[in-house]
Amino acid sequence: MKVSRRTQADRTAMTRAALIKAGRALFAEHGFAGVGTEALVRDAEVSRGALYHQFGDKTELFSAVLAEVEAEVSQRLAEAVLSGGERDFVATMTNAIGAWLDACEHPEIQRIVLVDGPSVLGWTRWRDICQPHILGLIEGILAQGMADGTLVLLPAKPLAHILLSVADEAALYVNAADDVGIARGEILAIVDPLVRSLTIPSTS
């Protein structure tokens, strides 16, 4: 009996993984509106009933895809933030923004996270999915900076939302530009004084 339950759990996990994989590829290439359930179940090699059983509908599958993509991007940003060892706040945030812009050059992230995410799920749910990931990372960096006295004391949570909004708009601006290199340089030139304005000048 225990073996049967494990087998069913394995099958369920495989079905979910197949649907998420197929959805991720199709949503990235065609956008949410351009993908039908027929294409999803065909590419995942599962039945239509399996899609509805696992996710209920296409929107719920999309939310699972978004959560997976967000988790991966967050991991990349965390690695970028930690890779340089001890950095001051300005360097940490500048590096994080640069890593975010790098990630957003990928069409998958542009389409799923920045374009379709808020329009398909609505701002509140989109943020609810993002919050445990990138938003939490930014809030943690801010909280640490305020705790060690390097940042101006401000409410960390709303400030994290503001900085994340800046990062999202920056990515959209860069990716829509005719010259991505120039646009990226413009954004980074703005980020430096913006981030520095949150720091407490050293008295030494």
Side-chain angles (χ1 to χ4, degrees):
M1 184 65 69
K2 290 183 179 179
V3 173
S4 176
R5 283 200 295 268
R6 284 198 300 269
T7 300
Q8 182 60 39
D10 288 344
R11 288 174 180 169
T12 296
M14 289 175 64
T15 299
R16 287 182 64 85
L19 283 163
I20 290 173
K21 181 179 179 181
R24 184 166 175 167
L26 289 168
F27 293 142
E29 183 176 359
H30 304 290
F32 179 84
V35 177
T37 55
E38 298 85 355
L40 289 166
V41 299
R42 181 195 65 226
D43 284 19
E45 299 182 341
V46 302
S47 68
R48 186 186 298 269
L51 168 63
Y52 294 138
H53 177 72
Q54 294 295 329
F55 295 102
D57 58 22
K58 185 177 76 167
T59 300
E60 291 306 308
L61 172 58
F62 178 83
S63 71
V65 169
L66 174 62
E68 181 177 272
V69 174
E70 275 284 348
E72 291 177 8
V73 173
S74 179
Q75 180 62 34
R76 288 173 63 178
L77 294 189
E79 291 171 357
V81 167
L82 297 174
S83 64
E86 292 295 326
R87 281 197 181 99
D88 63 19
F89 174 76
V90 174
T92 296
M93 290 302 297
T94 301
N95 196 55
I97 291 291
W100 170 237
L101 294 178
D102 289 341
C104 288
E105 290 182 7
H106 198 294
E108 177 185 67
I109 295 173
Q110 292 176 26
R111 172 79 79 164
I112 293 173
V113 177
L114 297 176
V115 178
D116 280 350
S119 64
V120 171
L121 301 178
W123 189 90
T124 300
R125 191 173 181 195
W126 179 53
R127 275 289 180 255
D128 285 343
I129 293 174
C130 295
Q131 189 165 356
H133 302 299
I134 297 175
L135 189 60
L137 175 64
I138 295 173
E139 190 174 346
I141 294 171
L142 292 172
Q144 180 59 46
M146 293 175 196
D148 65 22
T150 59
L151 297 185
V152 177
L153 287 177
L154 294 167
K157 192 176 187 67
L159 181 55
H161 276 274
I162 290 171
L163 292 177
L164 183 56
S165 297
V166 169
D168 288 344
E169 287 297 324
L172 289 170
Y173 175 80
V174 170
N175 287 305
D178 293 330
D179 190 316
V180 171
I182 290 176
R184 183 187 177 103
E186 291 172 339
I187 290 295
L188 293 178
I190 294 168
V191 165
D192 184 79
L194 179 64
V195 171
R196 288 185 188 280
S197 70
L198 299 173
T199 64
I200 297 175
S202 175
T203 57
S204 57

